[in-house]
């Protein structure tokens, strides 16, 4: 039932159900632990989710871990300001499924947050090279990464793509103007 609640995006209800059955079930039930960890993330209970993921990683051999384990652990770590460790986990998830272009955005955003703009640029460009699930915000964030890396011509190009995709978005126009001021 907790699994169904999780699938229906009723994360808190899933956690409540897991709390009810935890006394009667095996505390090392892998499926239950995964649902609990993922639901904790979705319910913004990050420290609790990390605790569950760490327990899961202690009992599940490395070759039995699935992409979602690394993905959620990485996202939990990033939400608790452990960005470097979170990036490692997201990269492991991406290595297991290179079609998950959304993970590249998460990795790039984390590098941006750490102010390692070269790496943020690298991962945004990698996502764009895939041509899959590229969003307006990816172009804008690529522009921001270039801008703060003092690559103003490249920032202008990225912002120009954002303004092409959304001509009425003022932030893209203002950012492009700012990049052009820096070029001048």
């Amino acid at each position: 039932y907790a699994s169904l609640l999780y699938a229906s995006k009723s994360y808190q209800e899933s956690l409540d159900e897991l709390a009810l059955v935890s006394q009667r079930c095996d505390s090392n039930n892998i499926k239950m632990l995964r649902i609990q960890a993922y639901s904790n993330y979705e319910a913004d209970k990050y420290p609790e989710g990390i605790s569950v993921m760490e327990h899961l990683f202690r009992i599940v051999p490395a070759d039995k871990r699935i992409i979602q384990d690394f993905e959620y652990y990485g996202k939990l770590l990033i939400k608790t300001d452990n960005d470097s460790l979170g990036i490692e986990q997201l990269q492991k998830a991406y290595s297991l499924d290179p079609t998950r272009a959304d993970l590249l955005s998460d990795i790039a955003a984390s590098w941006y947050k750490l102010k390692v703009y070269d790496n943020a640029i690298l991962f945004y460009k990698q996502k764009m090279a895939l041509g899959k699930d590229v969003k307006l915000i990816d172009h804008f964030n690529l522009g921001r990464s270039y801008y703060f890396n003092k690559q103003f011509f490249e920032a202008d190009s990225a912002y120009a793509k954002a303004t092409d995709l959304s001509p009425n978005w003022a932030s893209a126009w203002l950012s492009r103007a700012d990049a052009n001021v820096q070029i001048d």
Side-chain angles (χ1 to χ4, degrees), residues 27-98:
S27 63
N28 290 330
N29 181 305
I30 294 170
K31 184 174 183 176
M32 186 175 83
L33 289 171
R34 282 185 171 132
I35 293 168
Q36 185 178 11
Y38 305 167
S39 293
N40 273 312
Y41 172 79
E42 300 294 349
D44 299 332
K45 296 182 175 189
Y46 309 124
E48 296 89 339
I50 287 176
S51 176
V52 175
M53 285 304 301
E54 288 172 348
H55 177 67
L56 180 74
F57 274 32
R58 279 192 297 274
I59 63 170
V60 175
D63 62 330
K64 301 291 185 199
R65 296 175 188 159
I66 61 174
I67 184 173
Q68 290 84 0
D69 295 343
F70 296 111
E71 176 185 1
Y72 275 98
Y73 191 36
K75 288 179 176 184
L76 285 161
L77 288 165
I78 289 167
K79 288 290 188 178
T80 56
D81 294 325
N82 291 304
D83 296 87
S84 297
L85 297 173
I87 289 169
E88 286 178 27
Q89 297 302 315
L90 290 176
Q91 287 178 315
K92 287 177 187 177
Y94 181 72
S95 71
L96 292 174
D97 186 0

Side-chain angles (χ1 to χ4, degrees), residues 140 143-144 147 152 155-156 159-160 163 169-182:
F140 184 75
R144 288 181 6 174
Y147 181 86
F152 302 115
D156 177 56
Y159 291 139
T163 59
W169 190 27
S171 293
W173 285 105
L174 291 170
S175 296
R176 186 169 186 205
D178 194 22
N180 278 281
V181 165
Q182 297 300 320

Side-chain angles (χ1 to χ4, degrees), residues 137-154:
I137 197 68
D138 293 321
H139 291 286
F140 184 75
N141 288 337
L142 175 62
R144 288 181 6 174
S145 298
Y146 277 130
Y147 181 86
F148 288 111
N149 207 38
K150 301 190 183 319
Q151 293 175 264
F152 302 115
F153 286 106
E154 292 85 351

